[in-house]
Each structure stands twice: as structure tokens, then as C-alpha cells.
Amino acid sequence: MEFSFNENQAMIAQMVRDFGDKEIRPHFMDWDENQTFPREMFSKLGELGLMGVLVPESYGGSGFGYFEYVTAITELGKICGSIALSMAAHNSLCTGHILQFGNEEQKQKYLPKLATAEWIGAWGLTEANTGSDAMRMRCTAVQDGDYWVINGTKNWITHGISGDVAVVLVRTGELLDSNGITAFVVERGTPGFRGGKKENKLGMRSSETAELIFEDCRVHKSQILGEVGQGFRQAMKVLDGGRISIAALSLGIAKGAFEASIKYAKEREQFGQPIANFQAISFKLADMATEIEAAELLTFKAADLKNKALPVTTTSAMAKYYASEVCVKASTEAVQIFGGYGYTKDYPVEKFYRDSKLCTIGEGTSEIQKLVISRNELRD
């Protein structure tokens, strides 16, 4: 595996930094305070090709691989976790599901709009009572001729209100049957489909999280992704890539917290010298640097496997698990290094601290990642 940035990665990293300084840094605290989802800003990200990073150019995307994708998310995460989270969810979940499992007609219809952010995508798996236990979902679809009638609710959905199109996993068979779940593409404006309650969150506050509500929502059979009953297996494959996204997001937040800590430790003086000179602080920085480096290597290993179409389930789970835990630790240490100032909104680390915790929860908790890893390692 080649560890140095390729030309595309270097270009993307600089482009994201320049864009972030102009379009995100001046506004992200206001967005966070008011829980504003900045829809227009994502249209600008779409113009840069960052909302269809993995989508082939033939469908209006950038046609890049996972190295470039990880780089883009990481650089955004260093600036604002919320923006990076929404960008990642749009790319890897809704868009990624259609890209992997849609037929040619579905790809031609949806990918160009998603890749340019003309449309924002949502992806619905989780329900109020079925997070990790997805096969007990209660949202169902019953066939009625050429249509399927969907009833139920999805919770904790990124872009649940603002999304223009959603890929939704619903039960079409028996409870606990892995062959009884089907994926549908549902457009906003379809009768019986609407957004519900918007969550008031600790962090990631400008990445919209809300319910999807279906009430006798009639969806034509042409909106099924793949075959009836394949939805659960599709979702697990989509999550393999999604976990790389969260690892990259975690990496970005950790790097943002670390870089802020380095700068502050060099500038802040106590007892007549910069606090970076004190071993208590320098050792914290050494631990942060080492753990971030390890998380980055593991994340890019998963990206390398994904690029090569090799089995990635275990490695992506490892990357997501480790990077997210490093993210929380790094942001916690950053607040400690800043002291009382780190607890205020005048400095960036309190937001890194709040945003970091979602990374150990979203797209499979740390405990679920350990379950995936241990099962695969113990398999004969």
C-alpha cells in the first residue's frame, strides 16, 4: 500500500481547506447554535464534486476512489464535524446504496442529481426500537399489485426532513428473516411520505437528524433496489463502506482537536513559559499524535481494500471502532489542555468534544464493531 498522498488527494485536501476557510469557518458556530442545516452550502460542495466523490463521471460524479474520499471527509472533519457527517452520509449511504445496487435506469435517474447535490439523499435503516437489532424492524411494505404500501417510522435519519430522496429498508417478509427486508427508493413529495421530529442533539447539530414517516405510502415496484428480500444483505455491504466514512470523520475531528491543542500549547504561558514545555502537556500531545497516526493507517488500509474490491468487513469495523475511540479521547484531552478556555465556545475544542461522541455510536456502536470483529476472527 502506498502511504503518500497522490496528486488527487493533495488537490482535494487543499481545495477543502480553501473552501472551508471561506464558506464554513465564518458560519459553523452559528449553524451549530441554531441547529441550521445549511442546504445552500452543500450545493457549493456539489459544485466542487464532493457530493459524488465515488460516483463515476458517466453519472455526473467525480469518479474517485476511497483514498480521495477519506481525504475529503477528514479535511472537512478538521473544520466542522457536522458538515463532514452530512457529506459522508449523503455519499456513502443513499448515493452509495443506489450506486452499488441500483439498476441502470435507477442510476441514470438519481445519481446525477445526487452527485451534484441538486438533490440531498437520506438513508433509513434505524427505528425507535431497532438500532443494532435491525431485523426486528416494524416498518413494513405490503404488495398491492404493481405497488407496495409502506407504513411505519424510521428514526435518527440524517437529512430526514431536508432530503429529496431516501433509500429505505423495510420489512417485506417475516420478523427476524434476513431475506425479509427490501430496499426502496422513495422521493420526497410521494403521498404518505414526510419528515417528522427533528432531534435536538448534543453535537453534530447542523447535520440534520430526524424521523421518516410513512402512512399508506404507495411506491411502485420499479423503486425497489435489487430484488425483494435482498435489503438486509445490501445494507450490511453499504455499512462496510459507511464505517470507513465514520473512521475518516473521526480522524478529521481528532486531527482538528490535536492541531488546535498544538497551537494553544505553544502560545499559552504559565510559570513564565509555554505550557508545551511541561511534560504533563507534551506527553498528552505525544499520545494524541501516536493514536491519530495509528487510526489513519488503519483507515487507509480499509480504504485500500475497498478500492481493490477485497473483503473489508473486519478491517472497516476495526477502523471505525479504533478511530472513533481515538477521536473521543483526543477531543477530551484537547479540552483538558485548554483548561477553562476549552470549556467555552470561544475556542474550537468544545465543539470537537461534543461532535466526537457521535462517532462511537453512528453506523454501528463501538460494541457492535467489536462483535463484528470478534465473530469474524473466531470464524473457522
Side-chain angles (χ1 to χ4, degrees), residues 69-304:
Y69 181 47
V70 166
T71 299
I73 297 172
T74 300
E75 290 297 329
L76 276 175
K78 287 164 64 175
I79 303 167
C80 178
S82 294
I83 302 306
L85 174 63
S86 276
M87 176 268 199
H90 173 93
N91 274 277
S92 69
L93 298 180
C94 179
T95 305
H97 200 139
I98 296 171
L99 179 61
Q100 287 187 67
F101 299 105
N103 58 38
E104 187 59 28
E105 183 179 352
Q106 291 165 337
K107 290 178 182 180
Q108 291 284 358
K109 181 177 181 180
Y110 293 112
L111 291 180
K113 292 182 178 180
L114 289 165
T116 58
E118 178 184 346
W119 281 11
I120 295 292
W123 193 75
L125 176 65
T126 306
E127 299 179 8
N129 296 308
T130 58
S132 302
D133 189 11
M135 284 199 295
R136 293 183 190 272
M137 66 175 59
R138 297 177 182 175
C139 189
T140 61
V142 178
Q143 189 169 12
D144 180 18
D146 287 342
Y147 286 82
W148 290 76
V149 182
I150 304 176
N151 279 286
T153 304
K154 294 292 177 179
N155 293 67
W156 308 106
I157 308 305
T158 304
H159 312 144
I161 295 171
S162 297
D164 300 284
V165 62
V167 173
V168 187
L169 286 302
V170 299
R171 185 158 57 83
T172 52
E174 296 299 318
L175 196 67
L176 300 179
D177 180 6
S178 61
N179 296 311
I181 294 172
T182 302
F184 292 84
V185 185
V186 188
E187 296 179 24
R188 189 71 62 182
T190 302
F193 172 43
R194 60 186 173 89
K197 175 190 174 186
K198 181 178 179 178
E199 302 296 342
N200 186 5
K201 300 175 295 183
L202 168 71
M204 303 291 193
R205 289 170 58 84
S206 56
S207 177
E208 179 186 275
T209 305
E211 293 177 312
L212 297 178
I213 298 174
F214 299 89
E215 297 172 327
D216 293 327
C217 178
R218 294 177 63 83
V219 179
H220 193 265
K221 63 182 181 181
S222 63
Q223 298 301 99
I224 294 173
L225 286 170
E227 302 294 332
V228 173
Q230 293 182 347
F232 185 77
R233 285 189 292 277
Q234 292 176 5
M236 294 305 101
K237 291 179 181 177
V238 168
L239 286 172
D240 279 346
R243 285 164 181 162
I244 298 173
S245 299
I246 300 300
L249 170 61
S250 302
L251 187 61
I253 293 171
K255 283 189 171 189
F258 176 68
E259 290 174 7
S261 298
I262 288 283
K263 184 175 185 294
Y264 183 80
K266 289 179 177 179
E267 295 173 350
R268 171 69 166 169
E269 291 191 359
Q270 290 286 275
F271 305 102
Q273 58 184 308
I275 64 171
N277 291 349
F278 298 115
Q279 191 178 82
I281 301 299
S282 64
F283 276 19
K284 286 181 186 295
L285 295 170
D287 285 341
M288 292 164 73
T290 303
E291 290 166 1
I292 289 169
E293 184 77 9
E296 186 165 34
L297 292 171
L298 193 51
T299 301
F300 274 101
K301 179 182 178 182
D304 186 51

